[in-house]
Amino acid sequence: MPARGDPARVSIILPVHNAEPWLDECLRSVLQQDFEGSMELSVFNDASKDKSMTIVEKWKEKLEGSGILVVIGGHDSPSPRGVGYSKNQAVAQSSGPYLCFLDSDDVMMPQRVRLQHEAAVRCPASIIGCRVSREPPGSTERYTRWVNQLEPHQLLAQVFTSNGPTVIMPTWFCSRAWFSHVGPFDEGGRGVPEDLLFFYNHLRKGGGVIRVDQSLLLYRYHPHAATHAVLEYDHHVDTPRPLPGGAGPATLGSLHHLECWQAGPLALPQPDRQSTAQGGGLLRRGREEDQEGLLLLRGLSGKAQAPGSDPALPSRTATLRNLREAGLYSHEAHSPTFGDMDALGC
């Protein structure tokens, strides 16, 4: 157990809204993590009207008795502000250099924080995901198979044509410095796919995508899941630009049981709330039982640029230079900011 009072190494980010049926199991999974570093749990209550916060207060004593600091924030307005707002607030009130995102209806396997932290230290400009198990078993079977069986190169190759982020939001783990460089989440509220918008911005800034190929999360399916609230979102979709040589993204290193891939120069969708009137491309997210269809890219914007005419994203060298100038990158191995990306190729 870390010494009491040690600064948190990993902040678990937990937005809560009317999560009473699932919170006990969720918080128990935080307590059962086998990570040997220090952790904190950052809970933000988004206007829950049930007994969610009574459950959080009950678990606060247990968690802090095991050395896990619990930070609680929130509001009791008549209406919730939304998932994007809640996650941003939970991040803002936390302190750890690494962020582990957790939904209040999901359950972490004991090794989740440890394995994803190892990956994030090695690739600090990447979003780290993992495989999942679905509860109840067999729900959204084809979607779950897609999430778990994408090959490493497909984590980037399928971002425009598939079911949303190729590493799903409830599994995300990343460095705080990289989150600050990319984020925050869109706070448009109900109906806005804040995870997808963040994911595209992450790729636009040259971020990598990694999946730890172990099932580290029990991903719960139920009629009240936030996914069902994301019905439709319009924005312009620029034509994806081929990678150099016409090939898919090249591997940039093999790290134990995972591989790190870099986005390279892609023209990514630019969110535009006026695109309905302007004929923008349509992103539609429907009822989850109807998906493989979870997210459809339908058509290209009339304003899409011709292939090759869009400005390329900066090279990895230029990106690192910009990050150094911004104070977000250092050459010191295992830095709490960006580590030694040159040596790792992440």
Side-chain angles (χ1 to χ4, degrees), residues 56-68 70:
V56 170
E57 291 290 347
K58 176 188 72 176
W59 278 95
K60 183 177 188 290
E61 182 177 352
K62 296 180 182 179
L63 291 163
E64 292 193 335
S66 296
I68 301 171
V70 179

Side-chain angles (χ1 to χ4, degrees), residues 144-313:
T144 304
R145 185 166 60 247
W146 175 80
V147 166
N148 287 333
Q149 294 184 2
L150 285 173
E151 297 293 333
H153 69 277
Q154 292 176 313
L155 295 177
L156 289 169
Q158 294 201 18
V159 296
F160 296 105
T161 58
S162 57
N163 304 318
T166 48
V167 288
I168 59 175
M169 173 65 220
T171 72
W172 285 7
F173 191 112
C174 65
S175 72
R176 176 182 297 273
W178 185 254
F179 176 88
S180 298
H181 181 62
V182 174
F185 289 107
D186 187 287
E187 297 185 358
R190 186 175 179 85
V192 175
E194 83 294 331
D195 55 347
L196 183 68
L197 299 180
F198 186 98
F199 192 68
Y200 279 159
N201 201 34
H202 161 77
L203 296 176
R204 189 178 297 117
K205 290 177 179 288
V209 183
I210 293 172
R211 186 186 65 214
V212 176
D213 283 334
Q214 294 189 31
S215 180
L216 303 180
L217 189 78
L218 184 68
Y219 181 37
R220 202 182 302 273
Y221 172 82
H222 57 88
H224 303 290
T227 298
H228 299 303
V230 183
L231 300 176
E232 192 171 284
Y233 191 72
D234 292 341
H235 68 84
H236 289 303
V237 181
D238 291 336
T239 304
R241 178 170 164 184
L243 295 178
T251 180
L252 295 174
S254 179
L255 305 173
H256 303 297
H257 50 283
L258 54 89
E259 293 186 8
C260 181
W261 298 77
Q262 188 73 16
L266 295 170
L268 295 165
Q270 301 290 331
D272 183 351
R273 296 184 183 281
Q274 303 303 316
S275 62
T276 302
Q278 299 171 1
L282 175 65
L283 289 177
R284 182 183 299 277
R285 193 178 275 191
R287 286 168 56 87
E288 193 161 356
E289 58 263 44
D290 297 334
Q291 305 168 34
E292 290 70 58
L294 174 67
L295 180 68
L296 303 177
L297 286 173
R298 184 170 293 178
L300 294 174
S301 166
K303 292 189 176 182
Q305 296 170 318
S309 65
D310 53 288
L313 290 175

Side-chain angles (χ1 to χ4, degrees), residues 14-226:
L14 182 64
V16 172
H17 174 68
N18 292 344
E20 181 182 350
W22 313 286
L23 261 178
D24 275 316
E25 195 173 3
C26 175
L27 295 172
R28 183 176 296 109
S29 76
V30 174
L31 184 63
Q32 292 174 342
Q33 291 301 295
D34 65 11
F35 179 60
E36 294 184 354
S38 54
M39 295 187 296
E40 71 175 357
L41 175 66
S42 179
V43 178
F44 189 83
N45 173 36
D46 189 20
S48 295
K49 306 304 180 187
D50 62 2
K51 297 179 181 178
S52 291
M53 298 317 294
T54 301
I55 295 171
V56 170
E57 291 290 347
K58 176 188 72 176
W59 278 95
K60 183 177 188 290
E61 182 177 352
K62 296 180 182 179
L63 291 163
E64 292 193 335
S66 296
I68 301 171
L69 176 66
V70 179
V71 181
I72 302 173
H75 68 97
D76 57 0
S77 302
S79 300
R81 295 283 300 273
V83 179
Y85 174 81
S86 299
K87 284 187 284 202
N88 287 338
Q89 293 300 310
V91 169
Q93 69 187 19
S94 68
S95 62
Y98 292 93
L99 307 174
C100 176
F101 291 91
L102 177 62
D103 284 358
S104 57
D105 53 357
D106 293 336
V107 179
M108 299 191 291
M109 300 301 105
Q111 67 272 34
R112 181 191 174 188
V113 169
R114 172 172 55 84
L115 292 180
Q116 290 191 302
H117 175 261
E118 289 173 1
V121 167
R122 289 167 172 79
C123 287
S126 292
I127 288 177
I128 315 298
C130 65
R131 290 179 173 171
V132 300
S133 301
R134 204 58 157 143
E135 176 64 32
S139 54
T140 64
E141 185 173 359
R142 286 182 292 176
Y143 175 66
T144 304
R145 185 166 60 247
W146 175 80
V147 166
N148 287 333
Q149 294 184 2
L150 285 173
E151 297 293 333
H153 69 277
Q154 292 176 313
L155 295 177
L156 289 169
Q158 294 201 18
V159 296
F160 296 105
T161 58
S162 57
N163 304 318
T166 48
V167 288
I168 59 175
M169 173 65 220
T171 72
W172 285 7
F173 191 112
C174 65
S175 72
R176 176 182 297 273
W178 185 254
F179 176 88
S180 298
H181 181 62
V182 174
F185 289 107
D186 187 287
E187 297 185 358
R190 186 175 179 85
V192 175
E194 83 294 331
D195 55 347
L196 183 68
L197 299 180
F198 186 98
F199 192 68
Y200 279 159
N201 201 34
H202 161 77
L203 296 176
R204 189 178 297 117
K205 290 177 179 288
V209 183
I210 293 172
R211 186 186 65 214
V212 176
D213 283 334
Q214 294 189 31
S215 180
L216 303 180
L217 189 78
L218 184 68
Y219 181 37
R220 202 182 302 273
Y221 172 82
H222 57 88
H224 303 290

